Amino acid sequence: WDCELLCSTFHNEWFKKEYPQIEFVKPGTEVNNLYAMFNVGWFYDGEEIVKDKIPFDFKKNPLQQTPPEILGLEYKEVKPKVKDITKGLDLNVKQVCIGVFGTAQSKFWNNPTGWQDVVDWLNDKGYKVKLLSKENSDYMGNKHPSGIIKHPEGPLESVMDEMAKSKTFIGIGSGLSWLSWALGTKTVLISGFSEDWAEMKDCVRIAAPKGKCEGCFNRLRLDPSDWNWCPDHKGTDRQFECTKSITSEMVIKELEKFL
């Protein structure tokens, strides 16, 4: 539309050189003489979506469809251009990265032996396994698998370095999986709480077996105050059945195709 475009993100430095046609400003910066301003996000009033801010039911559509709907653009999946961070990295290291933590238990891979089986398999094949999640072991009752190296907490740029030099990143429905995908790292995504169309298309997506409960995130509003949110089966022996039923064999079978 031949507009002069300004954009505010929390990681402007990742994009400035890649998008020279856009002026990036720090969050909270006052900008004058705007013709229009769009806030990109999800907006609720109680349980209802705020229609004048987000004009469709985002739960029933891929996550990346939210921005074009708000901006009035045609939706297509776009991988963002992120600054090249591979210069000086050893890209021949035999390493795999994992991210095991999320912001709700429903996002986790809740198979009790899943992560450990996969890490053991990778170790047996000679891979160093780096855990990129910042949470310590036993966070909300979730332990680190053994046989991993925990990446020290620090700036996200150091996490990006580890992703960029890894053969693959294995994660759940969390920001680290999206970051891995944006960097062009082979991304394996284990998820049952979302439908298989909700995240990026060109990842290795491992979902719950047919016949198991799944996809609550795309049907109902996630309650962030309830860590054990499982709207269909909370408090029963089927709680988190979606990811409990994803076996380590299912994940290893996919890894064997390229590792």
Side-chain angles (χ1 to χ4, degrees):
W1 293 330
D2 196 28
C3 295
E4 179 184 345
L5 181 62
L6 291 86
C7 182
S8 177
T9 81
F10 291 111
H11 296 286
N12 291 344
E13 67 280 3
W14 295 358
F15 308 111
K16 281 182 177 180
K17 289 184 178 180
E18 306 302 323
Y19 295 94
Q21 72 277 29
I22 300 175
E23 180 183 348
F24 288 89
V25 298
K26 292 181 179 179
T29 301
E30 184 176 338
V31 180
N32 299 313
N33 301 318
L34 290 177
Y35 175 77
M37 182 171 73
F38 299 89
N39 292 314
V40 177
W42 294 344
F43 304 96
Y44 277 102
D45 181 6
E47 292 297 316
E48 298 298 320
I49 296 170
V50 181
K51 294 292 187 180
D52 61 345
K53 288 189 175 182
I54 182 164
F56 79 131
D57 188 346
F58 52 81
K59 297 190 303 298
K60 293 179 169 56
N61 295 275
L63 290 170
Q64 211 187 65
Q65 190 169 339
T66 294
E69 290 287 343
I70 291 174
L71 297 172
L73 302 172
E74 181 183 353
Y75 166 64
K76 62 178 179 179
E77 183 170 282
V78 175
K79 184 174 290 189
K81 293 183 286 186
V82 183
K83 69 175 183 178
D84 184 9
I85 61 169
T86 60
K87 189 175 181 180
L89 296 179
D90 180 4
L91 302 181
N92 295 312
V93 62
K94 197 170 182 180
Q95 174 174 296
V96 168
C97 287
I98 63 174
V100 306
F101 290 94
T103 53
Q105 195 67 45
S106 56
K107 296 184 179 184
F108 283 61
W109 184 14
N110 288 295
N111 184 311
T113 65
W115 280 115
Q116 191 60 64
D117 292 343
V118 170
V119 170
D120 290 345
W121 181 83
L122 289 166
N123 287 162
D124 288 345
K125 290 183 69 69
Y127 284 95
K128 178 171 66 174
V129 181
K130 267 281 185 81
L131 174 66
L132 300 184
S133 304
K134 65 181 180 180
E135 292 86 353
N136 292 321
S137 191
D138 226 12
Y139 176 77
M140 300 301 287
N142 298 279
K143 296 183 181 298
H144 294 173
S146 60
I148 54 95
I149 301 167
K150 187 178 186 305
H151 185 65
E153 190 170 348
L156 268 174
E157 283 76 6
S158 68
V159 171
M160 293 162 72
D161 287 346
E162 297 302 318
M163 287 178 170
K165 65 185 183 184
S166 294
K167 303 302 181 187
T168 189
F169 171 81
I170 310 169
I172 59 176
S174 73
L176 287 181
S177 295
W178 283 96
L179 184 58
S180 167
W181 172 76
L183 291 171
T185 299
K186 186 97 173 176
T187 302
V188 178
L189 196 154
I190 302 167
S191 180
F193 89 118
S194 59
E195 298 286 358
D196 59 8
W197 43 258
E199 289 92 3
M200 67 290 289
K201 294 176 183 176
D202 61 341
C203 65
V204 178
R205 182 67 153 68
I206 303 174
K210 289 192 181 301
K212 299 295 183 181
C213 184
E214 64 178 340
C216 55
F217 174 76
N218 295 112
R219 291 184 278 108
L220 301 164
R221 183 184 178 184
L222 171 67
D223 179 1
S225 68
D226 181 3
W227 178 261
N228 290 308
W229 183 77
C230 179
D232 297 309
H233 303 295
K234 184 177 179 181
T236 75
D237 58 2
R238 294 184 65 188
Q239 183 167 320
F240 306 133
E241 120 176 330
C242 55
T243 53
K244 284 180 178 177
S245 61
I246 297 174
T247 66
S248 52
E249 289 79 13
M250 292 167 64
V251 177
I252 291 170
K253 182 180 178 181
E254 294 300 322
L255 295 175
E256 286 177 327
K257 295 176 181 179
F258 59 90
L259 291 181

